[in-house]
Amino acid sequence: MMRRVAVKIAYLGDEFAGSQIQPDMRTVEGEVLSSLMTIGGNEDDNLKCASRTDKGVNALGNVIVFSTNFNDDAVLLKALNSVSRGVFYRSAATVGDDFNPRYANERIYRYILPAAGIDIRQAEQCAALFEGEHDFIRFCKPDDRETRMNMRSVKLSKMNDIIVMEFRSEHFLWNLIRRIVSAIAAVGRGYASLDDVRRALNGEPISFGIARPDALTLIDIVYENVEFVVPSAEMFDARIEEELFRWSLRKTFFDSL
Amino acid sequence: MMRRVAVKIAYLGDEFAGSQIQPDMRTVEGEVLSSLMTIGGNEDDNLKCASRTDKGVNALGNVIVFSTNFNDDAVLLKALNSVSRGVFYRSAATVGDDFNPRYANERIYRYILPAAGIDIRQAEQCAALFEGEHDFIRFCKPDDRETRMNMRSVKLSKMNDIIVMEFRSEHFLWNLIRRIVSAIAAVGRGYASLDDVRRALNGEPISFGIARPDALTLIDIVYENVEFVVPSAEMFDARIEEELFRWSLRKTFFDSL
């Protein structure tokens, strides 16, 4: 019997030309669709994706929804992971026919910035300016959406030589986080002042540029009353082990150079 | 005035289809030749390479020799590094016209093996069997060369979750280290005995397979009376910093998966 299932997926942004399907491009949605076909699905399965991510942006918890004949989530995820090239299917939940993944309670993003040259106190003060309700028109690439919105929290923490920033909100605007990060970095480096940021938040046409996409990750999307179940904690262990080993080989090379 | 110059180069093996030039393939020699042309050299510069490395095998200190009009090594390396795609030109020395980089006093290779599941004492005992003079016919892919040779040293050290093996010899045979590593790993895992290895070293047709190439690095080649000079210790700092940051992003992704 067909049912709607929501699945949390992870991917590295630099392996795809963005999440949204495009002809002749390797995209996350294109890859998911191809995997769904391979395991017996079809184009009527009405695949929907919760958040669009730009080229280069990573996800650990984007959400897709589709119709399926599989009645066991563990079997479904195993089948998808076995044919997938670059998308990791992490957990699943059965949802109602009217479930729209775009309406979420909270989205959580993480940005990683090298700490070198950044005054963490200045950066923290700058981050705080973005919390709460603002018109973010100077911090996004305009599309049809309302630019006034509520940013629930922007948290910074320094870990060794990186600064980890965590953003929480019901929804985000196009390029919003990368533009905010660029402003926080500029203030932290002394290239811009807190007052410059305040003025931009008041609508003055000031641009602080845009930070690189590959340091941004969509960590999670939270829905009330939808509980995603991880079928097996060891699902990706072999792959993770191989990747971390390859990473240590490459690190050793550059450490020795 | 033309002179012969020897240059130590580094590269990641997975960016090239091996070191030796081949038509329509991206090889280390092909890339070097193309960079030499770009900075004003020509095909008569008689490029020679000290050690062939297979597809996937890395180098931190392979050696190339060629004729050049540049009289300042620092300027030469800077020019080469600025046009290079994937080859790092690290240090240089002026050499005589008859200098043949193939005749070296010592070559040093490093192999990195994940330590999980390997009995380090068994592995060390196995490594010791390969030291000294042996006929390595069961541990190489035959070419025209004499398979009896002297292996100066095979050293193992465990560092956290990897085993680092260092091999020193005047020269090596084709696939020799990867086949020896595969034997050491088999003994360390209990899949083969020290006696199996002894018998293979005595000529019995036993194969222990071949270890993956990307964990092997040609660390250095030593020549008597040739002193390579590093023009600037910071030459690759920006690139190293960027690579280590990119890899920390990737590591964070897989650590979180």
Side-chain angles (χ1 to χ4, degrees):
Chain A
M1 216 189 79
M2 289 294 261
R3 62 179 173 120
R4 295 289 282 171
V5 64
V7 172
K8 289 211 175 165
I9 58 171
Y11 48 85
L12 279 164
D14 62 10
E15 295 191 10
F16 299 96
S19 65
Q20 208 181 353
I21 203 155
Q22 291 178 69
D24 302 324
M25 301 278 257
R26 179 162 151 73
T27 65
V28 175
E29 279 181 17
E31 168 61 28
V32 168
L33 209 52
S34 146
S35 292
L36 286 174
M37 304 292 213
T38 308
I39 65 163
N42 64 64
E43 294 196 3
D44 299 332
D45 291 342
N46 194 16
L47 174 67
K48 285 189 193 306
C49 186
S51 288
R52 288 182 190 167
T53 53
D54 280 343
K55 187 170 166 13
V57 175
N58 316 294
L60 280 162
N62 205 343
V63 172
I64 52 170
V65 182
F66 54 90
S67 301
T68 185
N69 274 316
F70 281 79
N71 48 32
D72 183 328
D73 283 343
V75 174
L76 170 65
L77 294 193
K78 195 170 178 182
L80 284 170
N81 282 315
S82 70
V83 301
S84 174
R85 296 175 313 146
V87 174
F88 300 87
Y89 299 83
R90 303 184 72 186
S91 58
T94 298
V95 291
D97 287 347
D98 58 350
F99 177 78
N100 184 341
R102 294 205 153 260
Y103 301 123
N105 289 76
E106 188 159 83
R107 289 172 160 85
I108 307 166
Y109 279 89
R110 177 172 69 198
Y111 198 96
I112 295 177
L113 196 69
I118 292 181
D119 179 324
I120 185 80
R121 274 155 205 263
Q122 283 288 305
E124 275 168 346
Q125 284 182 50
C126 183
L129 297 180
F130 292 100
E131 292 186 326
E133 192 178 314
H134 300 280
D135 185 344
F136 288 96
I137 190 158
R138 300 302 171 202
F139 293 92
C140 65
K141 187 164 168 181
D143 53 11
D144 298 337
R145 280 183 288 178
E146 169 61 44
T147 54
R148 175 163 284 277
M149 53 158 272
N150 179 45
M151 176 76 74
R152 281 198 197 139
S153 72
V154 183
K155 297 256 172 294
L156 260 67
S157 54
K158 200 177 163 195
M159 299 167 70
N160 303 318
D161 49 357
I162 58 169
I163 294 172
V164 179
M165 305 188 197
E166 193 200 75
F167 297 81
R168 287 174 185 255
S169 186
E170 202 176 281
H171 66 278
F172 288 88
L173 303 167
W174 200 3
N175 290 166
L176 179 65
I177 297 174
R178 290 164 59 197
R179 289 186 174 276
I180 291 178
V181 167
S182 198
I184 293 174
V187 169
R189 291 193 180 102
Y191 301 157
S193 69
L194 291 168
D195 203 53
D196 293 335
V197 173
R198 276 188 207 99
R199 288 189 289 124
L201 279 170
N202 284 329
E204 284 189 45
I206 304 173
S207 169
F208 300 90
I210 182 162
R212 57 192 287 176
D214 59 343
L216 178 60
T217 304
L218 170 54
I219 296 294
D220 203 7
I221 306 178
V222 181
Y223 301 92
E224 216 165 81
N225 302 323
V226 180
E227 207 169 314
F228 288 84
V229 176
V230 177
S232 152
E234 301 86 38
M235 229 176 349
F236 304 120
D237 277 6
R239 175 69 192 273
I240 292 167
E241 198 180 322
E242 164 64 13
E243 283 290 337
L244 293 179
F245 180 61
R246 285 189 56 217
W247 172 82
S248 74
L249 291 178
R250 220 169 157 102
K251 184 172 187 304
T252 306
F253 178 86
F254 283 103
D255 278 341
S256 308
L257 193 63
Chain B
M1 217 189 80
M2 289 295 260
R3 62 177 173 121
R4 294 290 281 173
V5 63
V7 172
K8 289 209 175 165
I9 59 170
Y11 48 84
L12 281 163
D14 61 10
E15 296 190 11
F16 298 95
S19 65
Q20 209 182 352
I21 203 156
Q22 290 179 69
D24 303 324
M25 301 277 258
R26 179 163 150 75
T27 64
V28 176
E29 280 182 14
E31 169 60 29
V32 168
L33 208 53
S34 144
S35 293
L36 286 175
M37 304 293 213
T38 308
I39 65 163
N42 65 62
E43 292 196 5
D44 298 332
D45 291 344
N46 194 15
L47 175 67
K48 286 189 192 307
C49 187
S51 288
R52 288 180 190 168
T53 53
D54 279 342
K55 188 168 166 11
V57 175
N58 316 293
L60 280 163
N62 205 342
V63 172
I64 52 170
V65 181
F66 53 91
S67 301
T68 184
N69 273 314
F70 281 79
N71 48 33
D72 184 327
D73 283 343
V75 174
L76 171 64
L77 295 193
K78 196 170 177 182
L80 285 169
N81 282 315
S82 71
V83 300
S84 174
R85 297 176 311 148
V87 175
F88 300 87
Y89 299 84
R90 303 183 73 188
S91 58
T94 298
V95 291
D97 287 347
D98 58 348
F99 177 79
N100 184 341
R102 293 206 156 260
Y103 300 122
N105 288 77
E106 189 160 81
R107 288 171 160 84
I108 306 166
Y109 279 89
R110 179 173 67 199
Y111 198 97
I112 296 178
L113 196 69
I118 292 181
D119 180 324
I120 184 78
R121 274 154 205 266
Q122 283 288 306
E124 275 169 344
Q125 285 181 49
C126 183
L129 297 181
F130 291 100
E131 293 186 325
E133 192 179 314
H134 300 279
D135 185 344
F136 288 97
I137 191 156
R138 300 302 169 203
F139 293 92
C140 65
K141 189 164 166 181
D143 51 12
D144 297 338
R145 278 183 291 179
E146 168 62 44
T147 54
R148 176 164 282 277
M149 52 159 272
N150 179 45
M151 176 76 74
R152 282 201 196 136
S153 71
V154 183
K155 298 254 171 297
L156 260 68
S157 53
K158 200 177 164 197
M159 299 168 71
N160 302 317
D161 48 358
I162 57 169
I163 293 172
V164 179
M165 305 187 198
E166 194 200 73
F167 297 80
R168 289 175 184 253
S169 186
E170 201 175 280
H171 67 279
F172 288 88
L173 303 168
W174 200 3
N175 289 167
L176 178 66
I177 297 175
R178 290 164 60 198
R179 289 187 175 274
I180 291 178
V181 166
S182 198
I184 294 174
V187 169
R189 290 192 181 103
Y191 301 156
S193 69
L194 291 169
D195 203 52
D196 293 335
V197 173
R198 275 188 208 103
R199 286 190 291 122
L201 278 171
N202 285 329
E204 283 189 45
I206 304 172
S207 170
F208 301 90
I210 183 163
R212 59 193 283 177
D214 60 343
L216 178 60
T217 304
L218 169 55
I219 296 294
D220 203 7
I221 306 179
V222 182
Y223 300 92
E224 215 165 81
N225 302 322
V226 180
E227 207 169 313
F228 288 84
V229 175
V230 177
S232 151
E234 301 86 40
M235 230 175 352
F236 305 120
D237 278 6
R239 174 69 193 274
I240 293 168
E241 198 180 322
E242 163 65 12
E243 283 291 337
L244 293 178
F245 179 62
R246 286 188 57 220
W247 282 84
S248 76
L249 293 176
R250 212 169 162 104
K251 182 174 188 301
T252 306
F253 177 86
F254 283 102
D255 277 341
S256 307
L257 194 63

